[in-house]
Amino acid sequence: RHTAAGIAGVVDDAGEDRLAIDPSGGGGADVRSRLFEELLCDRSFIRSRLRLLDGRGGGGGGDRNLLLATHSHIRDMMWCASLGSDGCGGENGAAPGDARPRDDQSPPRNSSVADSLNAMSILAQELIALYGTLHDSGRITVSHGGGGGNANSVEVERAKERHGQLFKLISNCNDGDTIKSDGEGCVEVALSLLANDDAWTAKDNSRHVFRRELSGKSSSATPRPSRKKRTQPSSSSSTALSSVLSIDIDDLRTAVSIARSLLEVASFSRRVHDGTDGAGVTRKQARSLKSLLRMEQTTCLKNAIEILSVAARTLCYITSGALDRLDEDDLDDSVNTSGLTPALLLRRFAANRESSKSLLSVTGVLCADCWFSLGKMDVSAHTLLFSCERALVILNHSRSASLNKQASDLLSGSLMAPLEQYRSFLLANINHQMGVYLYEQGDFERASAQLGTASRLRRQRLDCMRDRAEDGEADVPSLLSRLYGEVMGGLSRAAPASMPEKDFTDLVAYSVRYCTRQLPKDSIELGELELCLSLTLEYSALVQHAVQNYQEAMGYFQEALILRTMHVGKNSLDVGSLHFNMGVVYDDLQRFDQAVSRYHESLRIRLDHLNNSSGSGNDDLEESVLLTLKCLGHVYKQSSDYDNSVACYVKVLQIMNQRFHQLRGE
């Protein structure tokens, strides 16, 4: 911020932690352009920020939590974009710093959307370059081959090749107003990713990879007779085992943090995309910028998915059951290349394994979130279903859901609560989105199944949150101590047995907390879940109405109305929409008095909002008022109340006539 003050002539506002434009320092648009050009788009500044704000300051950990730096950079982009005459603002239209008096005398040199796009692209490039360095070092991959191959497998080389192509795509996104012909759309990206197996869809081949190391080892729990240590193991198997033993869990955390940061950039790109129309640009510029923003979002999601897939494969090797009984007899000089004694190497590997369990769980959740975000970008095509189905496969896989089952069972109400909560929240959202899509396509049977699953998941999560509120806070230290005892008892010959209890409990607590900090939402409020359940119930009711199960539809509508009224009030438009839909059901049931009551309540709410609103943008609200009046007139006609029926239709004509004169005047 001191650098920004020197570059752009901005001052601290009354000693608060925000910046304000010095009224004597020039226009807001110029300040914005200079801040973007000389600071937020400066690669040296971004690299320094990634190094300084990597989560290690005073924390004592060796992992790099790059999400903090990404959040800071995006927050500054939001504030800078709010300066000038066309600020794109931040989430919910707010920026971290107040936008001060703008200079409207001359147009800005560049749109704030274009500035934000350029800054996002450069930030994503630097994150990807950081991952490329980490990947090329071989510290996050397991090298193995069928007949004794290179340290880098063909699969890794192909991943690097695709990675380079994506890097080039991001670099080309901002070369001009025209879209580059080599840019991939979300459909092409989804299909190309779906064509490749990942850690959750590929068959587990870790036992095959480690078979030579484990040759002659019994699967029973009894100690095996001592055997002569191997001096010349095969190159492929020793390479695989030595790769696993040399991996530092902090490097894998860094890779996951980079992917999470790319997901955050994609989310910010979507928010900027949604606010482009009101950003003071022409329609042609808006179309071009939106296309580029979608390409940016798609590229970030694709990179994040591929990075998470590479990390998950390595984590699967580390946690492989084939290495449960690894001991010092397996660690000859060709395997132990770290310089540590076999005992210390096994202890470090044991710590990595325990840390890998929670990291693999959050990797699966983040990868599923990326797939879900990719699918929502193209809701008109089957890409949504394909992407959502892949996301569900990942979330329901044992590697994401119950790999660390002992920890999940004991810590689900304490340390693991945010991870379990978000996983359940994401599962419900994916099923809900699929149900809505299927309903709109007319596939009511499958829509009912998906929405039913979403409702069940939301109810289960609500019950868990209410029970936890009644039970109070869990005793985390005692739960960790119990977990240590269960791990010790279940793995009689494994290396964790040599780990002191305090080291083990500190390790698990730190690992779980680190993983929960990577989640897009660290907590979900009870009210938010109840509103989500209300929306799912509303669509379930619409599905039942479509198949003429009117009584069941009415039950869903009633429950949705109760939940929504509790949180948004009885006069909100969402509540008015529910009253209207309930009126339609009563109309179909020929219960006309109840239909009239619901239509009247819906009409009251909608007319209040229409009369209290001003300016343009009320076309949809006016259409909903006209539709309610027409339905109300129809019900009055069915019940032989012709005077009220005519009154409703006359009101419709009056509103339409008023609109006609307004349009004619314009």
Side-chain angles (χ1 to χ4, degrees):
R1 292 179 179 272
H2 283 288
T3 306
I7 290 176
V10 293
V11 296
D12 185 37
D13 182 24
E16 299 181 14
D17 187 21
R18 59 183 179 182
L19 294 176
I21 299 174
D22 184 352
S24 62
D30 288 336
V31 171
R32 185 200 69 229
S33 297
R34 291 173 63 189
L35 283 173
F36 271 107
E37 181 180 348
E38 300 183 40
L39 201 65
L40 296 178
C41 294
D42 184 82
R43 295 181 183 273
S44 298
F45 173 75
I46 294 174
R47 291 166 189 163
S48 299
R49 167 167 265 176
L50 292 175
R51 284 195 297 269
L52 289 170
L53 298 179
D54 61 4
R56 291 184 292 181
D63 50 273
R64 303 186 67 186
N65 186 2
L66 298 164
L67 187 58
L68 175 61
T70 303
H71 278 152
S72 298
H73 206 69
I74 289 176
R75 186 170 61 249
D76 288 343
M77 280 193 280
M78 291 165 61
W79 178 79
C80 289
S82 69
L83 305 178
S85 60
D86 68 327
C88 68
E91 189 173 4
N92 299 324
D98 292 340
R100 297 303 173 185
R102 297 172 175 177
D103 180 16
D104 296 326
Q105 302 301 320
S106 60
R109 290 184 296 172
N110 198 6
S111 164
S112 65
V113 177
D115 285 332
S116 299
L117 173 61
N118 193 41
M120 277 187 284
S121 179
I122 294 174
L123 174 60
Q125 290 173 43
E126 291 303 318
L127 288 167
I128 294 168
L130 184 61
Y131 171 75
T133 302
L134 187 63
H135 184 281
D136 293 344
S137 69
R139 302 200 306 266
I140 60 171
T141 56
V142 176
S143 302
H144 62 87
N150 290 320
N152 291 326
S153 65
V154 175
E155 180 182 359
V156 174
E157 290 297 329
R158 287 177 177 172
K160 289 171 62 178
E161 182 181 352
R162 293 196 307 270
H163 178 80
Q165 293 171 349
L166 294 172
F167 185 94
K168 179 181 177 182
L169 174 60
I170 291 179
S171 301
N172 290 339
C173 273
N174 295 291
D175 284 349
D177 289 336
T178 57
I179 308 295
K180 297 299 180 181
S181 59
D182 58 348
E184 292 180 285
C186 57
V187 178
E188 292 80 6
V189 166
L191 293 177
S192 67
L193 289 171
L194 287 167
N196 301 318
D197 285 330
D198 53 30
W200 298 275
T201 58
K203 183 179 179 181
D204 182 9
N205 66 340
S206 60
R207 290 190 179 275
H208 173 74
V209 171
F210 297 123
R211 69 184 184 278
R212 293 185 182 272
E213 288 92 330
L214 302 172
S215 60
K217 180 176 280 193
S218 171
S219 61
S220 64
T222 58
R224 64 169 180 257
S226 61
R227 68 178 190 272
K228 191 174 181 179
K229 193 176 294 186
R230 296 174 285 108
T231 57
Q232 292 182 336
S234 67
S235 60
S236 63
S237 57
S238 64
T239 300
L241 184 55
S242 62
S243 295
V244 169
L245 293 174
S246 64
I247 286 173
D248 190 339
I249 193 66
D250 291 336
D251 290 330
L252 287 170
R253 285 181 179 140
T254 300
V256 173
S257 182
I258 291 172
R260 172 66 183 90
S261 297
L262 288 171
L263 176 59
E264 190 68 18
V265 175
S267 177
F268 180 59
S269 177
R270 176 184 54 78
R271 297 201 301 270
V272 176
H273 173 279
D274 293 342
T276 299
D277 288 331
V281 295
T282 65
R283 291 184 179 180
K284 182 178 179 181
Q285 290 174 324
R287 285 195 300 269
S288 181
L289 287 170
K290 281 187 173 183
S291 298
L292 291 170
L293 285 164
R294 284 176 61 85
M295 290 171 63
E296 183 71 39
Q297 184 181 355
T298 302
T299 306
C300 287
L301 290 173
K302 181 175 182 180
N303 277 291
I305 290 172
E306 293 188 333
I307 292 171
L308 292 168
S309 297
V310 171
R313 287 193 190 97
T314 303
L315 290 166
C316 288
Y317 280 115
I318 295 174
T319 57
S320 171
L323 299 180
D324 283 347
R325 298 172 58 78
L326 190 68
D327 58 27
E328 295 185 23
D329 289 341
D330 298 304
L331 306 182
D332 55 29
D333 293 339
S334 63
V335 173
N336 185 1
T337 59
S338 63
L340 300 174
T341 64
L344 287 176
L345 183 60
L346 285 175
R347 184 169 175 177
R348 188 183 75 171
F349 178 63
N352 281 349
R353 294 196 84 192
E354 288 304 315
S355 300
S356 296
K357 293 174 182 178
S358 55
L359 188 58
L360 182 54
S361 294
V362 79
T363 300
V365 171
L366 292 176
C367 194
D369 205 341
C370 290
W371 274 108
F372 184 41
S373 299
L374 186 63
K376 288 190 294 184
M377 291 182 64
D378 189 42
V379 296
S380 62
H382 290 294
T383 310
L384 174 67
L385 286 182
F386 295 150
S387 299
C388 287
E389 286 169 357
R390 176 60 66 90
L392 291 178
V393 167
I394 294 172
L395 286 175
N396 291 318
H397 200 284
S398 59
R399 292 169 183 167
S400 300
S402 60
L403 176 68
N404 198 10
K405 192 170 188 310
Q406 291 167 309
S408 295
D409 292 344
L410 284 174
L411 306 179
S412 59
S414 55
L415 288 177
M416 295 285 286
L419 183 58
E420 292 297 318
Q421 186 181 68
Y422 188 77
R423 177 181 170 274
S424 175
F425 182 72
L426 184 58
L427 269 172
N429 287 348
I430 294 171
N431 279 282
H432 171 88
Q433 190 68 45
M434 293 177 70
V436 171
Y437 173 80
L438 292 168
Y439 163 72
E440 292 172 348
Q441 299 300 311
D443 192 344
F444 302 125
E445 183 176 356
R446 293 172 64 194
S448 178
Q450 297 293 155
L451 292 168
T453 301
S455 297
R456 176 178 55 81
L457 290 168
R458 298 198 196 282
R459 292 182 194 278
Q460 288 176 350
R461 183 48 48 187
L462 283 169
D463 291 341
C464 288
M465 293 179 68
R466 290 164 181 152
D467 292 342
R468 191 174 301 127
E470 295 176 0
D471 296 340
E473 295 294 328
D475 185 2
V476 175
S478 64
L479 291 174
L480 288 171
S481 181
R482 285 178 55 193
L483 177 62
Y484 176 75
E486 291 193 13
V487 172
M488 289 279 291
L491 301 173
S492 58
R493 282 181 57 85
S498 63
M499 190 184 301
E501 180 176 344
K502 186 177 185 308
D503 291 352
F504 176 84
T505 55
D506 289 348
L507 174 72
V508 172
Y510 174 80
S511 300
V512 173
R513 288 193 178 103
Y514 176 86
C515 291
T516 55
R517 288 200 301 270
Q518 304 302 311
L519 296 173
K521 292 174 72 74
D522 55 1
S523 64
I524 300 169
E525 299 297 329
L526 187 70
E528 182 181 2
L529 273 179
E530 288 181 336
L531 278 174
C532 290
L533 176 59
S534 170
L535 186 61
T536 303
L537 290 171
E538 181 180 5
Y539 273 100
S540 295
L542 292 173
V543 170
Q544 296 305 317
H545 175 261
V547 295
Q548 299 182 356
N549 291 335
Y550 299 128
Q551 294 295 345
E552 196 167 347
M554 187 56 64
Y556 286 134
F557 276 134
Q558 288 280 11
E559 188 177 359
L561 179 63
I562 292 172
L563 290 172
R564 199 164 300 176
T565 304
M566 285 171 50
H567 294 288
V568 300
K570 64 180 182 180
N571 295 320
S572 74
L573 285 174
D574 288 338
V575 170
S577 176
L578 281 171
H579 280 298
F580 175 82
N581 287 328
M582 294 173 73
V584 173
V585 176
Y586 281 128
D587 190 356
D588 291 333
L589 289 170
Q590 296 186 353
R591 294 161 63 175
F592 299 125
D593 290 343
Q594 291 162 300
V596 167
S597 176
R598 294 295 179 180
Y599 283 141
H600 265 298
E601 185 64 15
S602 176
L603 183 62
R604 179 190 67 79
I605 295 171
R606 289 172 170 176
L607 279 175
D608 285 345
H609 281 271
L610 183 63
N611 294 332
N612 292 329
S613 61
S614 60
S616 58
N618 295 324
D619 291 346
D620 291 340
L621 183 56
E622 195 172 86
E623 287 292 339
S624 68
V625 170
L626 292 174
L627 180 61
T628 307
L629 283 168
K630 285 188 268 188
C631 290
L632 188 57
H634 171 76
V635 172
Y636 278 131
K637 178 184 175 183
Q638 293 295 107
S639 57
S640 301
D641 189 347
Y642 301 116
D643 290 339
N644 280 322
S645 178
V646 169
C648 289
Y649 292 134
V650 168
K651 183 65 175 176
V652 169
L653 291 174
Q654 289 175 347
I655 294 175
M656 294 179 69
N657 190 47
Q658 183 179 2
R659 180 195 286 184
F660 171 75
H661 285 294
Q662 288 176 347
L663 293 174
R664 192 176 181 183
E666 293 175 0

